[in-house]
Amino acid sequence: MTQPRYDVIAIGNAIVDVMAPCDEALIDELQLAKGGMSLIDADGARDLYAAMGPAKEISGGSAANTLAGLASLGAQCAFIGQVAKDQLGDVFSHDIRAAGIDFDTPAREGEPPTARCLIFVTPDGERTMNTFLGASQFLPPAALSEDAIRDAAVLYLEGYLWDPEEPRSAMRRAIEVARSAGRKVAFTASESFVIDRHGDDFRSLIEEGLIDILFVNHLELATLTGESDLEAGIDAIKDNVPTLVVTRSAEGAVALSGGERAEVAAEPIDKVIDTTGAGDLFASGYLSGHVKGESLSDCLTRGAICAAEIISHYGARPEADLKELVAKRLG
């Protein structure tokens, strides 16, 4: 097998995050699901934006955030996702390329506009996300760069994008291409409500041996397996996926791979400012170690370091030098 050009290529929602601090009363007034992610339509996006205080625009999207972290750690990455030919599409395209990530998916003409996620951040650092998927849900299989997928060590897929038919078909095709080239497929379940809608699909992918690395948090694991107990959930799925990574928020993370089990505590920080992107950046750290062939424990530690950095400030893109942080911690 030839040496791949990319460490990781990802397929995900091309989203611009619009973030604003708010108090608990506004969450109640708007009847939002605090701490969760809800899909909204264009009218809902307009109404919530009007209710927001002063906001900050930052390119986001779960898989794109993961790649931004990976690039910061020195990995070679590429992204496949759909934007529209509009202002936010230009913002997203500029930001991801400026991070050193290859992005060649042609912008889409006409409506709907580029996706945006309206994020309300309460004083406890919890983020409440409301996502208008816009153009991102119209990524067709024809937009895939199959040569780039074959030329990446890991194909990373975002569960959020499984909902619409076109990108779901594109991701299924991408899995075929990656596996036929002998590459690994990593998958993040993204959110429990996504599993509620598509759990049968996800379970089939796992049981068919199409997923090499599965990222879930403890709540998603419970939804996927039907087991509320963490260990019971791990036992229910561990034999069907070569590598299972379960994050547990402040309780740290656990991973199982090749008969080995490793656990790490969460990295300490002074204050949680914004939990947006914690899981995305944990995946960045983990995968950065994985492509280097590091130990399971060190991969988890890298993930914990990156997650701690991202929750120490607003936004889901790293502000500190992740490579330096990892070097200080792991040498």
Side-chain angles (χ1 to χ4, degrees):
M1 187 184 302
T2 59
Q3 183 68 23
R5 175 184 177 189
Y6 298 112
D7 295 305
V8 179
I9 189 168
I11 302 176
N13 284 309
I15 295 177
V16 176
D17 291 339
V18 182
M19 307 181 64
C22 74
D23 56 28
E24 301 280 353
L26 184 60
I27 298 293
D28 293 337
E29 178 185 336
L30 296 174
Q31 298 183 328
L32 302 179
K34 183 184 174 184
M37 200 287 276
S38 302
L39 296 177
I40 56 175
D41 58 17
D43 289 340
R46 184 184 62 249
D47 293 345
L48 288 180
Y49 185 67
M52 275 185 150
K56 181 178 182 181
E57 294 178 354
I58 308 170
S59 290
S62 176
N65 293 336
T66 296
L67 291 188
L70 276 159
S72 176
L73 289 160
Q76 298 297 311
C77 302
F79 179 72
I80 298 171
Q82 190 68 66
V83 298
K85 282 191 174 180
D86 56 20
Q87 182 179 2
L88 288 185
D90 290 343
V91 168
F92 181 91
S93 300
H94 170 270
D95 286 354
I96 199 163
R97 290 171 182 147
I101 299 162
D102 286 354
F103 175 53
D104 300 319
T105 310
R108 188 174 187 271
E109 298 277 3
E111 295 292 326
T114 296
R116 70 284 317 266
C117 183
L118 306 176
I119 304 175
F120 295 78
V121 185
T122 42
D124 59 359
E126 194 65 73
R127 85 284 183 270
T128 300
M129 302 188 295
N130 305 272
T131 304
F132 170 56
L133 290 172
S136 69
Q137 61 189 325
F138 294 97
L139 175 74
L144 296 177
S145 174
E146 294 192 1
D147 286 343
I149 292 169
R150 293 186 189 97
D151 213 7
V154 177
L155 168 67
Y156 181 73
L157 302 175
E158 173 186 329
Y160 282 133
L161 197 57
W162 200 262
D163 205 52
E165 181 178 351
E166 276 192 288
R168 183 166 65 249
S169 297
M171 287 192 286
R172 286 190 179 278
R173 174 57 187 161
I175 291 172
E176 292 176 3
V177 172
R179 297 198 69 83
S180 67
R183 307 306 190 186
K184 290 189 176 181
V185 177
F187 188 90
T188 174
S190 294
E191 192 88 26
S192 287
F193 87 86
V194 180
I195 301 170
D196 284 335
R197 294 167 67 92
H198 300 288
D200 288 344
D201 268 359
F202 295 170
R203 285 182 281 270
S204 292
L205 291 173
I206 292 165
E207 290 166 5
E208 291 169 21
L210 299 179
I211 304 301
D212 298 293
I213 305 170
L214 177 66
F215 292 94
V216 289
N217 65 30
H218 63 290
L219 299 175
E220 293 157 5
L221 179 66
T223 304
L224 189 63
T225 64
E227 300 285 355
S228 57
D229 177 74
L230 176 70
E231 295 302 327
I234 289 173
D235 286 342
I237 202 171
K238 66 179 182 179
D239 293 334
N240 290 326
V241 60
T243 299
L244 173 64
V245 182
V246 184
T247 56
R248 304 175 62 200
S249 190
E251 301 301 315
V254 58
L256 295 90
S257 183
E260 179 187 357
R261 177 177 175 135
E263 298 187 43
V264 297
E267 291 287 305
I269 63 169
D270 292 335
K271 183 180 179 181
V272 175
I273 300 298
D274 171 24
T275 57
T276 307
D280 303 337
L281 269 291
F282 190 97
S284 301
Y286 184 93
L287 289 171
S288 72
H290 173 80
V291 297
K292 291 175 178 289
E294 295 188 2
S295 70
L296 197 61
S297 178
D298 282 356
C299 289
L300 287 178
T301 299
R302 281 173 167 265
I305 292 166
C306 294
E309 191 281 335
I310 216 68
I311 65 175
S312 68
H313 58 78
Y314 284 111
R317 299 287 172 94
E319 294 182 355
D321 186 333
L322 296 182
K323 191 183 295 186
E324 182 179 335
L325 293 175
V326 168
K328 285 181 178 178
R329 180 72 166 77
L330 291 177

mmCIF file of all heavy atoms in Angstrom, residues 218-219 221-234 236:
data_model
loop_
_atom_site.group_PDB
_atom_site.id
_atom_site.type_symbol
_atom_site.label_atom_id
_atom_site.label_comp_id
_atom_site.label_asym_id
_atom_site.label_seq_id
_atom_site.Cartn_x
_atom_site.Cartn_y
_atom_site.Cartn_z
ATOM 1 N N HIS A 218 -20.881 9.083 26.366
ATOM 2 C CA HIS A 218 -21.583 8.065 27.151
ATOM 3 C C HIS A 218 -23.082 8.065 26.902
ATOM 4 O O HIS A 218 -23.726 7.005 26.955
ATOM 5 C CB HIS A 218 -21.278 8.251 28.648
ATOM 6 C CG HIS A 218 -21.749 9.546 29.221
ATOM 7 N ND1 HIS A 218 -21.177 10.760 28.903
ATOM 8 C CD2 HIS A 218 -22.743 9.828 30.091
ATOM 9 C CE1 HIS A 218 -21.805 11.730 29.559
ATOM 10 N NE2 HIS A 218 -22.753 11.183 30.284
ATOM 11 N N LEU A 219 -23.660 9.220 26.600
ATOM 12 C CA LEU A 219 -25.094 9.285 26.316
ATOM 13 C C LEU A 219 -25.412 8.656 24.962
ATOM 14 O O LEU A 219 -26.411 7.935 24.811
ATOM 15 C CB LEU A 219 -25.572 10.738 26.355
ATOM 16 C CG LEU A 219 -25.395 11.459 27.694
ATOM 17 C CD1 LEU A 219 -25.800 12.923 27.569
ATOM 18 C CD2 LEU A 219 -26.208 10.769 28.787
ATOM 19 N N LEU A 221 -23.626 6.355 23.511
ATOM 20 C CA LEU A 221 -23.426 4.912 23.664
ATOM 21 C C LEU A 221 -24.689 4.258 24.214
ATOM 22 O O LEU A 221 -25.112 3.194 23.747
ATOM 23 C CB LEU A 221 -22.246 4.641 24.591
ATOM 24 C CG LEU A 221 -21.939 3.162 24.871
ATOM 25 C CD1 LEU A 221 -21.469 2.460 23.603
ATOM 26 C CD2 LEU A 221 -20.899 3.027 25.979
ATOM 27 N N ALA A 222 -25.316 4.889 25.210
ATOM 28 C CA ALA A 222 -26.546 4.347 25.791
ATOM 29 C C ALA A 222 -27.667 4.295 24.753
ATOM 30 O O ALA A 222 -28.419 3.316 24.673
ATOM 31 C CB ALA A 222 -26.967 5.192 26.987
ATOM 32 N N THR A 223 -27.780 5.351 23.935
ATOM 33 C CA THR A 223 -28.813 5.367 22.903
ATOM 34 C C THR A 223 -28.548 4.308 21.846
ATOM 35 O O THR A 223 -29.464 3.633 21.368
ATOM 36 C CB THR A 223 -28.874 6.760 22.241
ATOM 37 O OG1 THR A 223 -29.080 7.758 23.242
ATOM 38 C CG2 THR A 223 -30.011 6.832 21.234
ATOM 39 N N LEU A 224 -27.283 4.138 21.483
ATOM 40 C CA LEU A 224 -26.920 3.187 20.433
ATOM 41 C C LEU A 224 -27.136 1.746 20.868
ATOM 42 O O LEU A 224 -27.571 0.901 20.070
ATOM 43 C CB LEU A 224 -25.457 3.410 20.044
ATOM 44 C CG LEU A 224 -24.930 2.670 18.820
ATOM 45 C CD1 LEU A 224 -25.656 3.113 17.561
ATOM 46 C CD2 LEU A 224 -23.430 2.907 18.667
ATOM 47 N N THR A 225 -26.848 1.444 22.131
ATOM 48 C CA THR A 225 -26.890 0.059 22.603
ATOM 49 C C THR A 225 -28.141 -0.283 23.395
ATOM 50 O O THR A 225 -28.437 -1.460 23.613
ATOM 51 C CB THR A 225 -25.674 -0.240 23.497
ATOM 52 O OG1 THR A 225 -25.736 0.583 24.670
ATOM 53 C CG2 THR A 225 -24.374 0.024 22.748
ATOM 54 N N GLY A 226 -28.850 0.747 23.886
ATOM 55 C CA GLY A 226 -29.993 0.498 24.751
ATOM 56 C C GLY A 226 -29.605 0.156 26.173
ATOM 57 O O GLY A 226 -30.446 -0.235 26.983
ATOM 58 N N GLU A 227 -28.324 0.349 26.506
ATOM 59 C CA GLU A 227 -27.813 0.041 27.843
ATOM 60 C C GLU A 227 -27.459 1.341 28.565
ATOM 61 O O GLU A 227 -26.589 2.085 28.127
ATOM 62 C CB GLU A 227 -26.556 -0.837 27.756
ATOM 63 C CG GLU A 227 -26.775 -2.176 27.070
ATOM 64 C CD GLU A 227 -27.514 -3.170 27.948
ATOM 65 O OE1 GLU A 227 -27.773 -2.847 29.131
ATOM 66 O OE2 GLU A 227 -27.830 -4.272 27.461
ATOM 67 N N SER A 228 -28.130 1.621 29.684
ATOM 68 C CA SER A 228 -27.857 2.856 30.424
ATOM 69 C C SER A 228 -26.552 2.774 31.222
ATOM 70 O O SER A 228 -25.918 3.789 31.503
ATOM 71 C CB SER A 228 -29.014 3.180 31.373
ATOM 72 O OG SER A 228 -29.240 2.103 32.274
ATOM 73 N N ASP A 229 -26.150 1.568 31.581
ATOM 74 C CA ASP A 229 -24.900 1.376 32.311
ATOM 75 C C ASP A 229 -23.724 1.421 31.336
ATOM 76 O O ASP A 229 -23.742 0.756 30.296
ATOM 77 C CB ASP A 229 -24.919 0.031 33.038
ATOM 78 C CG ASP A 229 -23.615 -0.244 33.762
ATOM 79 O OD1 ASP A 229 -23.375 0.376 34.810
ATOM 80 O OD2 ASP A 229 -22.827 -1.075 33.260
ATOM 81 N N LEU A 230 -22.707 2.211 31.670
ATOM 82 C CA LEU A 230 -21.568 2.404 30.770
ATOM 83 C C LEU A 230 -20.912 1.083 30.390
ATOM 84 O O LEU A 230 -20.688 0.809 29.202
ATOM 85 C CB LEU A 230 -20.537 3.332 31.411
ATOM 86 C CG LEU A 230 -19.245 3.544 30.608
ATOM 87 C CD1 LEU A 230 -19.509 4.357 29.365
ATOM 88 C CD2 LEU A 230 -18.171 4.207 31.472
ATOM 89 N N GLU A 231 -20.588 0.265 31.375
ATOM 90 C CA GLU A 231 -19.879 -0.977 31.086
ATOM 91 C C GLU A 231 -20.730 -1.937 30.269
ATOM 92 O O GLU A 231 -20.223 -2.645 29.389
ATOM 93 C CB GLU A 231 -19.402 -1.633 32.378
ATOM 94 C CG GLU A 231 -18.370 -0.827 33.144
ATOM 95 C CD GLU A 231 -17.126 -0.535 32.325
ATOM 96 O OE1 GLU A 231 -16.744 -1.377 31.475
ATOM 97 O OE2 GLU A 231 -16.527 0.543 32.516
ATOM 98 N N ALA A 232 -22.015 -1.951 30.541
ATOM 99 C CA ALA A 232 -22.910 -2.807 29.754
ATOM 100 C C ALA A 232 -22.957 -2.336 28.305
ATOM 101 O O ALA A 232 -22.979 -3.148 27.368
ATOM 102 C CB ALA A 232 -24.307 -2.821 30.367
ATOM 103 N N GLY A 233 -22.966 -1.026 28.123
ATOM 104 C CA GLY A 233 -22.953 -0.475 26.769
ATOM 105 C C GLY A 233 -21.673 -0.813 26.028
ATOM 106 O O GLY A 233 -21.700 -1.181 24.847
ATOM 107 N N ILE A 234 -20.542 -0.689 26.717
ATOM 108 C CA ILE A 234 -19.256 -1.048 26.109
ATOM 109 C C ILE A 234 -19.243 -2.517 25.719
ATOM 110 O O ILE A 234 -18.832 -2.879 24.611
ATOM 111 C CB ILE A 234 -18.105 -0.715 27.077
ATOM 112 C CG1 ILE A 234 -17.935 0.818 27.184
ATOM 113 C CG2 ILE A 234 -16.802 -1.360 26.614
ATOM 114 C CD1 ILE A 234 -16.941 1.243 28.239
ATOM 115 N N ALA A 236 -21.665 -4.385 24.971
ATOM 116 C CA ALA A 236 -22.621 -4.686 23.904
ATOM 117 C C ALA A 236 -22.063 -4.407 22.517
ATOM 118 O O ALA A 236 -22.556 -4.956 21.530
ATOM 119 C CB ALA A 236 -23.902 -3.887 24.115
#
